[in-house]
Amino acid sequence: MRLVFLGPPGAGKGTQAARVARHLGIPHIATGDIFRQAVEAGTPIGLRVKEVMDHGELVSDEMTNEVVRERMALDDTENGFVLDGYPRNVEQALAFEENLKELGVKLDKVIKFMVNGPAIVQRLSGRRICPLCKTVYHFVTHPPQYDEVCDNDGTRLVKREDDQPETVERRLEVYGKLTKPLYDFYDERGLLHQVDALGTTNQVFERLIGIIQDDH
Ligand code: AP5
């Protein structure tokens, strides 16, 4: 199953992509995670993208397409993937189409996460992540068992650098201008589906599984 999850920042794409990928036994590929890991590791890519990400802008298409191309070439994508955060604009979507063509595979579904402004603000303002294992928490809706430390490894949770209010505002602008046109792009190709992303994470997960298992 080859899936793309699309939606605004904070829609819950990463949370659900990790769970759906585990459920289907396929990799969860998130360009945001790949770039954040590069920043933390101080690799040449990380040094180039840090400032761009901290300002809520998009990393260059050239670099992003190359990173995804390399990731798609790994053997674990043979039975599918859940792609989260890519493509992010029409240029990336066209490059991705070429990439899939070269690999001789087709996308199955593109799922649009439907949320509203208040939910986005509530979700992003409460998000905390484990800097070690990358698990995503929310201090109200998905708190760790013990105050502010990761359930898996006890590491102190942190706020993402780009979850500051002014950066969130810019990320939402970029989403509106560059990512929203992808809904028409994939609708024209008969691939677009919508999920109601309001409600609990369990409810959204069940809806997603319904969409993924539906033959249409
Ligand atoms: P990226 O990491 O992709 O960020 P994003 O798209 O802005 O999405 P988020 O990770 O903020 O939100 P999400 O929808 O995954 O929500 P989550 O599940 O965490 O990109 C970051 C940056 O990297 C970009 O700005 C750009 O600079 C760069 N980049 C990445 N990809 C790129 C590309 N293709 N091209 C160029 N640049 C790129 O959930 C949010 C919170 O809500 C969590 O706390 C969670 O616990 C909670 N939550 C989730 N679901 C629910 C629910 N149902 N109810 C209540 N709370 C919930």
Side-chain angles (χ1 to χ4, degrees), residues 26-51:
I26 53 179
H28 166 205
I29 301 174
T31 40
D33 288 347
I34 294 172
F35 290 139
R36 275 185 292 280
Q37 275 159 19
V39 169
E40 261 174 51
T43 65
I45 287 184
L47 294 175
R48 283 167 67 188
V49 303
K50 182 175 179 355
E51 208 177 312

Side-chain angles (χ1 to χ4, degrees), residues 7-16 30-33 35-36 49 52-54 56-61 64 68 84-88 92 113 122-124 126-128 136-139 141-142 160 162-163 171 197-202 204:
K13 306 178 298 294
T15 300
Q16 296 296 340
T31 40
D33 288 347
F35 290 139
R36 275 185 292 280
V49 303
V52 176
M53 291 177 77
D54 285 352
E57 305 294 337
L58 292 189
V59 173
S60 74
D61 291 340
T64 308
V68 173
D84 149 27
Y86 180 92
R88 204 73 159 215
Q92 292 184 9
F113 279 54
Q122 189 265 345
R123 289 180 185 184
L124 287 181
R127 174 163 57 188
R128 299 289 182 275
V136 178
Y137 296 87
H138 188 282
F139 77 84
T141 60
H142 179 38
R160 246 171 63 175
D162 59 352
D163 277 347
R171 284 162 62 205
L198 295 175
T200 67
T201 49
N202 283 343
V204 179

Side-chain angles (χ1 to χ4, degrees), residues 160-193:
R160 246 171 63 175
E161 290 281 341
D162 59 352
D163 277 347
Q164 306 305 328
E166 56 287 357
T167 315
V168 167
E169 206 173 301
R170 181 61 192 147
R171 284 162 62 205
L172 285 167
E173 278 169 17
V174 169
Y175 160 77
K177 201 165 143 207
L178 299 176
T179 308
K180 269 189 171 171
L182 289 182
Y183 298 134
D184 284 342
F185 180 95
Y186 283 118
D187 199 23
E188 282 160 16
R189 285 156 175 77
L191 291 171
L192 192 71
H193 299 258

